[in-house]
Amino acid sequence: MAVSELRSASTHERVVDPIHLFRASLAETYPGDAKMRRTVYVPAYSTIRMMNGRSRIDLAATLSIHNTSQEKPLLLERVDYHDTGGELVQAYLDSPVALKPLGTIEMFVAREDRRAGMGANFVVDWAADGPISEPVIEAVMIGTQGNATYSFVSPGRPARIVHPDEEPDRGRGLHAP
Protein backbone atom coordinates (compact mmCIF):
# COMPACT_ATOMS: atom_id res chain seq x y z
CA MET A 1 0.00 0.00 0.00
CA ALA A 2 1.02 3.58 -0.48
CA VAL A 3 0.58 4.77 3.08
CA SER A 4 3.18 7.44 3.74
CA GLU A 5 4.16 9.15 6.96
CA LEU A 6 4.82 12.83 7.09
CA ARG A 7 8.39 13.44 8.21
CA SER A 8 8.35 16.87 9.77
CA ALA A 9 5.52 18.71 11.49
CA SER A 10 4.25 17.07 14.67
CA THR A 11 0.70 18.29 13.98
CA HIS A 12 0.45 15.74 11.16
CA GLU A 13 -0.49 12.17 11.83
CA ARG A 14 -0.81 10.23 8.59
CA VAL A 15 -1.47 11.14 5.00
CA VAL A 16 -4.74 9.76 3.66
CA ASP A 17 -3.89 6.69 1.58
CA PRO A 18 -5.08 7.45 -1.98
CA ILE A 19 -4.93 3.76 -2.92
CA HIS A 20 -7.44 2.88 -0.21
CA LEU A 21 -9.59 5.98 -0.70
CA PHE A 22 -9.89 5.54 -4.49
CA ARG A 23 -9.93 1.73 -4.58
CA ALA A 24 -13.08 1.72 -6.76
CA SER A 25 -11.15 3.63 -9.47
CA LEU A 26 -8.32 1.10 -9.70
CA ALA A 27 -8.13 -1.68 -12.29
CA GLU A 28 -7.48 -5.21 -11.08
CA THR A 29 -4.78 -6.03 -13.60
CA TYR A 30 -2.73 -4.21 -16.16
CA PRO A 31 -0.66 -5.53 -19.07
CA GLY A 32 3.02 -5.43 -18.14
CA ASP A 33 4.34 -4.37 -21.53
CA ALA A 34 3.76 -0.61 -21.67
CA LYS A 35 4.53 0.67 -25.16
CA MET A 36 4.42 4.34 -24.27
CA ARG A 37 5.44 6.36 -21.22
CA ARG A 38 5.04 10.01 -20.37
CA THR A 39 5.99 12.34 -17.53
CA VAL A 40 3.80 15.24 -16.44
CA TYR A 41 5.00 18.15 -14.29
CA VAL A 42 2.34 19.87 -12.18
CA PRO A 43 3.17 23.14 -10.40
CA ALA A 44 1.59 23.26 -6.94
CA TYR A 45 1.65 25.95 -4.32
CA SER A 46 1.49 25.20 -0.61
CA THR A 47 2.05 28.90 0.15
CA ILE A 48 1.47 32.11 -1.79
CA ARG A 49 2.58 35.61 -0.84
CA MET A 50 0.09 38.45 -0.46
CA MET A 51 0.06 42.24 -0.43
CA ASN A 52 3.61 43.50 0.14
CA GLY A 53 5.11 40.01 0.02
CA ARG A 54 5.45 39.75 3.77
CA SER A 55 2.14 38.09 4.47
CA ARG A 56 1.24 34.68 3.10
CA ILE A 57 -1.61 32.26 2.74
CA ASP A 58 -1.05 28.57 3.31
CA LEU A 59 -2.97 26.42 0.86
CA ALA A 60 -4.21 22.85 0.73
CA ALA A 61 -3.36 21.15 -2.57
CA THR A 62 -5.15 18.27 -4.26
CA LEU A 63 -3.46 16.53 -7.18
CA SER A 64 -6.15 14.97 -9.36
CA ILE A 65 -5.38 12.39 -12.06
CA HIS A 66 -8.21 11.51 -14.48
CA ASN A 67 -8.00 8.66 -16.97
CA THR A 68 -9.88 10.12 -19.94
CA SER A 69 -9.87 6.85 -21.89
CA GLN A 70 -13.21 5.10 -22.14
CA GLU A 71 -11.61 1.78 -23.06
CA LYS A 72 -8.14 1.38 -21.54
CA PRO A 73 -6.63 1.46 -18.07
CA LEU A 74 -3.92 4.05 -17.36
CA LEU A 75 -0.85 2.86 -15.50
CA LEU A 76 0.54 5.25 -12.89
CA GLU A 77 4.18 4.40 -12.27
CA ARG A 78 5.17 7.35 -10.07
CA VAL A 79 3.47 10.20 -8.25
CA ASP A 80 6.01 12.30 -6.34
CA TYR A 81 5.76 15.61 -4.47
CA HIS A 82 8.82 17.91 -4.55
CA ASP A 83 9.79 21.06 -2.69
CA THR A 84 10.98 24.44 -3.96
CA GLY A 85 14.57 23.15 -4.18
CA GLY A 86 13.53 20.10 -6.21
CA GLU A 87 14.00 17.64 -3.34
CA LEU A 88 11.57 14.76 -2.94
CA VAL A 89 9.15 15.46 -0.10
CA GLN A 90 6.86 12.47 -0.55
CA ALA A 91 6.38 9.52 -2.88
CA TYR A 92 2.70 8.60 -3.06
CA LEU A 93 3.07 5.18 -4.71
CA ASP A 94 5.03 2.21 -3.43
CA SER A 95 4.33 0.34 -6.67
CA PRO A 96 2.51 1.09 -9.93
CA VAL A 97 -1.29 1.18 -9.98
CA ALA A 98 -3.73 1.24 -12.89
CA LEU A 99 -6.74 3.52 -13.16
CA LYS A 100 -9.86 2.05 -14.72
CA PRO A 101 -11.21 3.71 -17.86
CA LEU A 102 -12.64 7.10 -16.77
CA GLY A 103 -11.27 6.48 -13.26
CA THR A 104 -9.80 9.18 -11.02
CA ILE A 105 -7.36 9.24 -8.12
CA GLU A 106 -6.30 12.15 -5.93
CA MET A 107 -3.36 12.93 -3.67
CA PHE A 108 -3.87 15.51 -0.92
CA VAL A 109 -1.47 17.89 0.84
CA ALA A 110 -2.94 19.55 3.94
CA ARG A 111 -2.85 23.32 4.39
CA GLU A 112 -0.69 22.93 7.49
CA ASP A 113 1.93 20.94 5.56
CA ARG A 114 4.52 23.58 4.64
CA ARG A 115 7.36 21.20 3.76
CA ALA A 116 7.40 22.02 0.04
CA GLY A 117 7.13 25.81 0.04
CA MET A 118 6.05 28.16 -2.72
CA GLY A 119 7.68 26.23 -5.54
CA ALA A 120 6.13 22.86 -4.75
CA ASN A 121 5.39 20.48 -7.61
CA PHE A 122 4.20 17.01 -8.46
CA VAL A 123 5.79 14.70 -11.02
CA VAL A 124 3.59 11.97 -12.47
CA ASP A 125 4.89 9.13 -14.66
CA TRP A 126 2.15 7.32 -16.56
CA ALA A 127 2.17 4.53 -19.11
CA ALA A 128 -0.14 2.66 -21.47
CA ASP A 129 0.06 -0.46 -23.60
CA GLY A 130 -0.63 1.50 -26.79
CA PRO A 131 -2.48 4.59 -28.00
CA ILE A 132 -4.64 6.14 -25.27
CA SER A 133 -6.33 9.47 -24.73
CA GLU A 134 -4.17 11.82 -22.72
CA PRO A 135 -5.02 11.93 -19.00
CA VAL A 136 -6.04 15.15 -17.28
CA ILE A 137 -3.61 15.85 -14.44
CA GLU A 138 -3.96 19.05 -12.41
CA ALA A 139 -3.56 20.47 -8.94
CA VAL A 140 -6.29 22.40 -7.16
CA MET A 141 -5.19 24.74 -4.38
CA ILE A 142 -7.50 26.30 -1.80
CA GLY A 143 -6.91 28.47 1.26
CA THR A 144 -8.54 31.11 3.43
CA GLN A 145 -7.48 34.30 5.09
CA GLY A 146 -10.06 36.02 7.25
CA ASN A 147 -13.36 35.90 5.39
CA ALA A 148 -11.73 35.48 1.97
CA THR A 149 -11.27 32.14 0.25
CA TYR A 150 -8.73 31.69 -2.52
CA SER A 151 -8.67 28.80 -4.97
CA PHE A 152 -7.08 28.09 -8.33
CA VAL A 153 -6.16 25.23 -10.64
CA SER A 154 -2.69 24.49 -11.95
CA PRO A 155 -2.71 22.23 -15.04
CA GLY A 156 -0.05 19.59 -15.57
CA ARG A 157 2.35 19.99 -18.44
CA PRO A 158 4.06 17.24 -20.39
CA ALA A 159 7.74 17.15 -19.52
CA ARG A 160 9.64 16.90 -22.78
CA ILE A 161 13.15 17.65 -23.90
CA VAL A 162 13.43 20.83 -25.97
CA HIS A 163 16.28 20.77 -28.47
CA PRO A 164 18.12 23.95 -29.54
CA ASP A 165 17.50 23.23 -33.22
CA GLU A 166 13.70 23.08 -32.82
CA GLU A 167 11.72 25.91 -34.33
CA PRO A 168 9.51 27.75 -31.85
CA ASP A 169 5.76 27.51 -32.42
CA ARG A 170 5.17 30.70 -34.39
CA GLY A 171 1.43 30.20 -34.49
CA ARG A 172 1.00 31.07 -30.80
CA GLY A 173 2.01 33.72 -28.38
CA LEU A 174 2.19 37.48 -28.34
CA HIS A 175 5.30 37.79 -30.49
CA ALA A 176 4.17 35.72 -33.44
CA PRO A 177 4.54 37.50 -36.81
Side-chain angles (χ1 to χ4, degrees), residues 46-62:
S46 60
T47 299
I48 55 174
R49 294 205 183 273
M50 297 282 296
M51 317 273 259
N52 61 4
R54 292 186 182 164
S55 60
R56 71 171 198 223
I57 297 176
D58 294 326
L59 305 167
T62 301

Side-chain angles (χ1 to χ4, degrees), residues 18 38 43 68 94 96 99 110 120 128 132 142:
R38 297 289 185 267
T68 62
D94 291 335
L99 282 179
I132 189 170
I142 187 165

Side-chain angles (χ1 to χ4, degrees), residues 70-85:
Q70 296 182 42
E71 297 89 27
K72 293 184 175 187
L74 177 75
L75 184 64
L76 298 176
E77 297 182 317
R78 172 175 71 142
V79 178
D80 288 348
Y81 184 53
H82 296 264
D83 68 12
T84 302

Side-chain angles (χ1 to χ4, degrees), residues 25-48:
S25 295
L26 302 180
E28 292 292 323
T29 60
Y30 188 83
D33 58 338
K35 293 178 177 52
M36 66 177 297
R37 288 187 161 75
R38 297 289 185 267
T39 298
V40 175
Y41 175 88
V42 187
Y45 307 88
S46 60
T47 299
I48 55 174

Side-chain angles (χ1 to χ4, degrees), residues 82-95:
H82 296 264
D83 68 12
T84 302
E87 296 297 320
L88 178 66
V89 173
Q90 183 168 339
Y92 281 90
L93 301 178
D94 291 335
S95 59

Side-chain angles (χ1 to χ4, degrees), residues 10-171:
S10 61
T11 59
H12 303 293
E13 303 254 334
R14 292 196 106 154
V15 173
V16 175
D17 178 11
I19 305 304
H20 177 72
L21 192 60
F22 291 88
R23 186 177 0 179
S25 295
L26 302 180
E28 292 292 323
T29 60
Y30 188 83
D33 58 338
K35 293 178 177 52
M36 66 177 297
R37 288 187 161 75
R38 297 289 185 267
T39 298
V40 175
Y41 175 88
V42 187
Y45 307 88
S46 60
T47 299
I48 55 174
R49 294 205 183 273
M50 297 282 296
M51 317 273 259
N52 61 4
R54 292 186 182 164
S55 60
R56 71 171 198 223
I57 297 176
D58 294 326
L59 305 167
T62 301
L63 176 73
S64 186
I65 303 169
H66 300 263
N67 181 2
T68 62
S69 173
Q70 296 182 42
E71 297 89 27
K72 293 184 175 187
L74 177 75
L75 184 64
L76 298 176
E77 297 182 317
R78 172 175 71 142
V79 178
D80 288 348
Y81 184 53
H82 296 264
D83 68 12
T84 302
E87 296 297 320
L88 178 66
V89 173
Q90 183 168 339
Y92 281 90
L93 301 178
D94 291 335
S95 59
V97 296
L99 282 179
K100 290 179 181 176
L102 301 178
T104 299
I105 191 168
E106 293 179 347
M107 285 59 177
F108 180 73
V109 179
R111 180 180 61 86
E112 299 80 15
D113 184 350
R114 297 183 191 119
R115 297 175 296 162
M118 288 183 217
N121 61 79
F122 291 94
V123 176
V124 178
D125 287 343
W126 62 269
D129 63 355
I132 189 170
S133 60
E134 191 172 359
V136 172
I137 304 173
E138 55 195 6
V140 179
M141 276 64 62
I142 187 165
T144 59
Q145 182 170 11
N147 292 332
T149 300
Y150 301 89
S151 64
F152 56 97
V153 175
S154 179
R157 295 156 174 84
R160 67 179 193 91
I161 304 298
V162 179
H163 298 281
D165 57 340
E166 287 182 6
E167 284 291 317
D169 183 359
R170 303 227 183 257

